[in-house]
Amino acid sequence: MNKANLLKDIKHLFTDNQLESFPEEVTGISFDSRSIEPGNIFVCYEGANINSNQFIDDAIKNGAVLVISDDRRQLQSRKDIPVLYFKEARKILSYIASAFYNSPSKNLYSIGITGTDGKSTTAYMIYSILRQLNINVTLISTLGIYINDQEILPVDNKIRLTTPDPPDLFQLINTAKESGSTHIILEMTSHALSLDKVAPIELDCAIFTSFSPDHQEFHDNEDEYFAAKSKIIDLLKPDGHLILNADNKKVFALSNHFKHSIGVGFDDVSDMSIEKTKENLFHTDYLLKTDENNFVGSTELMGDFNLMNIGMAFIASLQCNIPSSAIIDSIKSCNNIPGRFERISGAPFQVIVDYAHTPDAFEKILNTLSRYIKGRLIIVFGCAGERSKERRYGLGKLTAERANMSIITEEDSRSESIHDIVQDIESAIKVTGATEGDNYKIILDRKEAIKFALEYADEDDFVLILGKGHEKSIESGGEIIPWDDRKITKELIDKIFN
């Protein structure tokens, strides 16, 4: 891309001297020196674990023609390549990456979704509604990346982030635009918002699904975590719409910060209130009420948390000028969210796989199922490495209090010792008076843990396999191992019971 085209939308971010430092042709942008190619811009900054400024020499060897750094010292020490200093180098990375792909999000109706839980289900539901109505839409989510009907799979077993890093993100958005998508739905994590990955995106609709304490390993405290999530408001266009969980006071208070806010909740004071009129196992009838209209619908999804997701997806779809009746019909047809409360058939008892991996998500599922469990509750779970210990303690305490048998196993230990993670979970379980063998077991091999649960269960029992959901790999000891809870569980059921 030539210099004029690259800078036409972002010229205001640079001084005249900085603008003169840009090469006449730019072939790409990267923050990883290993992926630099001739003609690329290298953006480097100090991260939580790695300071990429130390790899400037490698980037130059690979062909970098400009360095943008958050280290002012590089201005004086580098004479072999132009260097620009920006304190917020990450944000500049996002803007340059967007500009390199001709600011692709400006051409799409953009929906951003944040929140501790519920992001993926809400995002997928909106995606499903739009696709059923033949609207070309792209989804970038924990559940995967879908451009219209095509799933984009990771290359070389690469770890997929919920919100990809800026060069990948804006390349994807550009591909979506070129593939005919008119709408895009993006999950926006607190990490992505805090690190300005999505800063150039202007949203037509923003959704804040829920909030509970989490990610203490990244954010110093709960207020910082909430502030990061709240940055989604800054991305809204002046005439955009902000959809909020009105049942969460902290979230709903954000309605004071944006004039086009819509509260969704079970309380009648919400702009749109939700009423559950009937619920059976895997079937729910509901009513959505506004001052002007009532909307009657049904779904195979269960739980108040899913009705909240439905309510938010309904409002977001209305903002896309879709008739309410078509939305209600599409929601009814969206009877399965991959890896979310997903039933696995073939056993003489209920087996459910779900992505729930926080104490709040665990509690919502357990509360939803409690009235339907006639026998015992058996839970297979673990906890991801490089995440807060508070999450481990919370999961251990909850399962000890609510399950008849808990099986602690591998989830995504990453660089941490699986034994340390399990020990943290077990310490919380033991505080409740539970004993190993009677109330819980430790089986580090996840397949063997699931096998034990299936063989342990009897008719009328419920087996919950939590933490992985739709995911197709486990990250452990520096390796990414192919894995699918749903596939493995189905294979085990067929082998044990057929």
Side-chain angles (χ1 to χ4, degrees):
M1 173 177 279
N2 66 48
K3 177 177 177 177
N5 284 334
L6 177 67
L7 295 174
K8 68 179 187 293
D9 289 335
I10 58 172
K11 192 178 293 186
H12 63 284
L13 299 174
F14 304 93
T15 66
D16 289 342
N17 286 339
Q18 288 174 331
L19 290 171
E20 289 178 7
S21 297
F22 275 83
E24 290 302 318
E25 290 288 332
V26 174
T27 58
I29 298 94
S30 181
F31 60 95
D32 186 339
S33 62
R34 296 167 297 183
S35 65
I36 287 288
E37 296 179 355
N40 280 190
I41 295 173
F42 179 53
V43 182
C44 49
Y45 43 78
E46 184 175 359
N49 301 311
I50 296 174
N51 186 342
S52 55
N53 284 284
Q54 63 186 305
F55 301 113
I56 291 176
D57 286 337
D58 294 334
I60 294 171
K61 287 176 185 176
N62 289 335
V65 290
L66 175 67
V67 171
I68 296 176
S69 170
D70 68 348
D71 184 353
R72 193 185 295 274
R73 292 171 298 178
Q74 302 299 332
L75 289 172
Q76 285 77 39
S77 63
R78 293 284 166 186
K79 305 300 180 185
D80 48 352
I81 191 170
V83 177
L84 307 184
Y85 166 74
F86 279 92
K87 183 179 179 181
E88 295 181 308
R90 290 180 185 270
K91 181 180 283 190
I92 290 296
L93 170 66
S94 297
Y95 276 100
I96 295 178
S98 175
F100 185 77
Y101 291 103
N102 296 304
S103 305
S105 61
K106 289 186 177 179
N107 300 291
L108 301 170
Y109 184 96
S110 301
I111 301 171
I113 305 175
T114 197
T116 306
D117 295 309
K119 297 185 298 296
S120 299
T121 297
T122 304
Y124 189 86
M125 197 169 292
I126 299 168
Y127 167 78
S128 176
I129 291 166
L130 270 57
R131 284 306 301 140
Q132 288 181 64
L133 298 171
N134 297 315
I135 295 171
N136 284 340
V137 57
T138 289
L139 172 67
I140 299 177
S141 161
T142 303
L143 287 170
I145 298 167
Y146 296 85
I147 297 179
N148 304 328
D149 284 327
Q150 182 182 1
E151 183 176 9
I152 308 300
L153 298 172
V155 179
D156 298 329
N157 216 21
K158 184 179 179 181
I159 299 171
R160 175 183 287 157
L161 302 172
T162 296
T163 311
D165 288 313
D168 293 333
L169 174 63
F170 290 102
Q171 182 181 30
L172 280 167
I173 296 174
N174 186 55
T175 301
K177 182 187 70 174
E178 292 181 344
S179 299
S181 283
T182 56
H183 294 63
I184 188 164
I185 304 158
L186 303 109
E187 278 189 53
M188 295 183 169
T189 63
S190 62
H191 297 65
L193 289 161
S194 179
L195 299 175
D196 292 313
K197 287 185 182 183
V198 292
I201 297 173
E202 297 179 359
L203 295 177
D204 297 277
C205 178
I207 304 173
F208 202 138
T209 60
S210 65
F211 182 79
S212 59
D214 197 19
H215 289 299
Q216 290 96 329
E217 81 290 340
F218 183 79
H219 302 285
D220 288 339
N221 52 57
E222 182 179 326
D223 289 340
E224 184 184 289
Y225 176 46
F226 185 76
K229 293 268 185 202
S230 302
K231 285 180 72 174
I232 196 169
I233 298 175
D234 300 334
L235 305 181
L236 273 165
K237 297 176 181 177
D239 60 347
H241 289 85
L242 177 63
I243 303 171
L244 300 169
N245 181 333
D247 293 343
N248 187 302
K249 292 181 180 179
K250 200 174 181 76
V251 172
F252 194 47
L254 295 173
S255 61
N256 298 319
H257 299 273
F258 197 78
K259 62 180 179 179
H260 303 302
S261 299
I262 304 166
V264 178
F266 288 89
D267 196 313
D268 284 338
V269 300
S270 304
D271 298 299
M272 188 184 77
S273 63
I274 306 164
E275 181 182 336
K276 180 165 57 181
T277 55
K278 183 181 179 182
E279 183 183 79
N280 296 316
L281 191 58
F282 304 115
H283 181 88
T284 305
D285 294 334
Y286 63 88
L287 182 66
L288 304 178
K289 299 184 292 184
T290 67
D291 290 340
E292 297 83 20
N293 295 294
N294 289 346
F295 307 97
V296 178
S298 65
T299 177
E300 290 188 16
L301 303 177
M302 291 180 63
D304 289 353
F305 59 95
N306 269 325
L307 287 181
M308 176 65 78
N309 298 331
I310 285 171
M312 293 187 158
F314 177 85
I315 291 291
S317 300
L318 279 181
Q319 307 311 315
C320 298
N321 296 316
I322 300 172
S324 58
S325 59
I327 300 171
I328 292 293
D329 289 343
S330 297
I331 290 171
K332 184 176 182 180
S333 299
C334 182
N335 51 29
N336 178 49
I337 311 294
R340 298 324 194 253
F341 227 83
E342 188 167 343
R343 286 177 287 173
I344 310 297
S345 62
F349 42 80
Q350 296 290 348
V351 181
I352 296 171
V353 169
D354 194 271
Y355 183 62
H357 57 280
T358 66
D360 192 51
F362 266 44
E363 190 160 28
K364 286 174 180 174
I365 285 180
L366 298 178
N367 289 345
T368 297
L369 287 176
S370 60
R371 59 182 286 206
Y372 300 106
I373 301 173
K374 297 177 182 177
R376 298 170 300 172
L377 174 60
I378 300 147
I379 300 178
V380 179
F381 77 107
C383 189
E386 300 175 11
R387 297 295 182 267
S388 68
K389 290 197 173 190
E390 284 74 13
R391 183 188 290 186
R392 301 171 194 177
Y393 302 144
L395 297 179
K397 182 175 182 292
L398 261 175
T399 55
E401 292 172 348
R402 304 288 292 272
N404 300 96
M405 173 59 73
S406 301
I407 302 108
I408 312 170
T409 190
E410 169 70 272
E411 187 174 306
D412 285 294
S413 53
R414 299 190 171 99
S415 63
E416 283 198 67
S417 162
I418 180 61
H419 299 283
D420 291 345
I421 294 171
V422 167
Q423 189 174 42
D424 287 337
I425 297 171
E426 186 183 23
S427 67
I429 289 177
K430 283 183 172 179
V431 168
T432 69
T435 58
E436 187 172 3
D438 295 325
N439 310 110
Y440 73 93
K441 286 185 71 70
I442 298 170
I443 304 175
L444 299 184
D445 185 304
R446 193 170 177 94
K447 183 174 182 178
E448 289 301 314
I450 295 171
K451 181 172 181 285
F452 173 83
L454 295 172
E455 291 177 337
Y456 181 83
D458 292 323
E459 189 176 349
D460 293 332
D461 290 349
F462 269 69
V463 175
L464 302 185
I465 301 163
L466 303 180
K468 296 295 296 174
H470 67 286
E471 292 184 332
K472 295 179 180 177
S473 64
I474 284 179
E475 188 182 351
S476 178
E479 291 185 80
I480 301 172
I481 304 158
W483 181 266
D484 188 328
D485 267 359
R486 299 165 298 173
K487 181 173 179 284
I488 295 295
T489 301
K490 181 59 178 170
E491 288 172 354
L492 288 169
I493 286 173
D494 290 345
K495 185 175 181 179
I496 295 168
F497 299 105
N498 297 320

